[in-house]
Amino acid sequence: MEIILLLVLAYLIGSLPSALWIGKLFYKTDIREHGSGNMGATNTFRVLGKKAGIAVTVFDILKGTAAVLLAFSPYFANTPIHPLVVGVVAVIGHMFPVFAKFKGGKAVATSGGVLLGYSWPIFVLVVLTFLLALKITKMVSLTSMVVAVMGAIYGIIYYFITGDIYLELVIVLMGAFIFYRHRANIARIKAGTEPKVKWL
């Protein structure tokens, strides 16, 4: 019973549609009707500006972190399920949120939050890689996929240092989510029509 409760809570945490709520509450704008229509941080930056984009990014990261930390909490500490599995469920909630007709974001920020909750050094590496790749490519979508690949490499290094294979497996799984959710972006990158950030 505790496992079911934990997974349901993780999914509901991941389902919280920060971009939709922030857009409607503070900007009277339904983010789904503008830009790419995606409820992620990138579209929020594009449509609502930096402040809203930063808020959504932080909120979405913390969703993943909260799910992992919930699994580590005293109430669920003895539940026979790995905290990273709980984090993955939050990522699924982010992609397919029950509070927004199962149409959510692209898994990037919330996946990062899972890493933050489980291994903050890996999270820091991923963030630094993201910023460097974004500076070079000027494309958030391409940067996200580069980070997914590099994250898997960091996971391998983490495994050799700690012997923890679960993080590597989950990073690969979340990376697969990221590539899958960026299918349309991949097509635009190939066609040379993918938008680039203008504030770098």
Side-chain angles (χ1 to χ4, degrees):
M1 186 63 185
E2 288 181 355
I3 291 178
I4 295 174
L5 176 60
L6 179 57
L7 294 179
V8 168
L9 288 174
Y11 173 77
L12 293 176
I13 290 171
S15 289
L16 298 175
S18 61
L20 179 64
W21 289 351
I22 288 174
K24 284 190 171 184
L25 184 60
F26 297 104
Y27 297 86
K28 310 301 180 184
T29 300
D30 188 333
I31 193 73
R32 298 170 296 184
E33 298 174 354
H34 301 273
S36 66
N38 183 262
M39 287 202 306
T42 301
N43 197 42
T44 305
F45 270 105
R46 186 179 298 123
V47 175
L48 302 179
K50 288 184 181 180
K51 290 182 179 179
I54 291 172
V56 169
T57 299
V58 172
F59 193 103
D60 286 351
I61 288 173
L62 292 179
K63 290 192 300 185
T65 305
V68 172
L69 294 182
L70 184 64
F72 280 119
S73 68
Y75 185 82
F76 294 109
N78 296 320
T79 304
I81 188 170
H82 200 284
L84 285 172
V85 174
V86 181
V88 168
V89 172
V91 174
I92 293 172
H94 174 73
M95 294 188 294
F96 306 104
V98 66
F99 301 121
K101 300 180 180 179
F102 302 101
K103 296 180 180 179
K106 296 187 176 181
V108 180
T110 306
S111 294
V114 172
L115 299 181
L116 176 59
Y118 190 76
S119 175
W120 68 263
I122 297 294
F123 172 78
V124 171
L125 278 175
V126 165
V127 170
L128 293 175
T129 302
F130 186 95
L131 295 174
L132 177 60
L134 184 60
K135 181 71 174 179
I136 295 170
T137 69
K138 303 293 192 297
M139 289 183 281
V140 175
S141 57
L142 180 56
T143 293
S144 298
M145 290 182 280
V146 168
V147 168
V149 173
M150 292 303 299
I153 294 173
Y154 299 149
I156 292 173
I157 297 171
Y158 182 86
Y159 165 66
F160 282 118
I161 294 175
T162 67
D164 185 349
I165 191 61
Y166 295 105
L167 182 61
E168 169 63 9
L169 295 175
V170 166
I171 288 176
V172 170
L173 178 59
M174 294 190 300
F177 289 161
I178 290 171
F179 272 86
Y180 178 77
R181 297 291 286 178
H182 283 85
R183 301 186 311 282
N185 302 87
I186 292 171
R188 289 195 295 269
I189 290 170
K190 291 180 178 178
T193 58
E194 179 71 353
K196 295 185 178 182
V197 295
K198 299 178 180 180
W199 46 271
L200 282 177

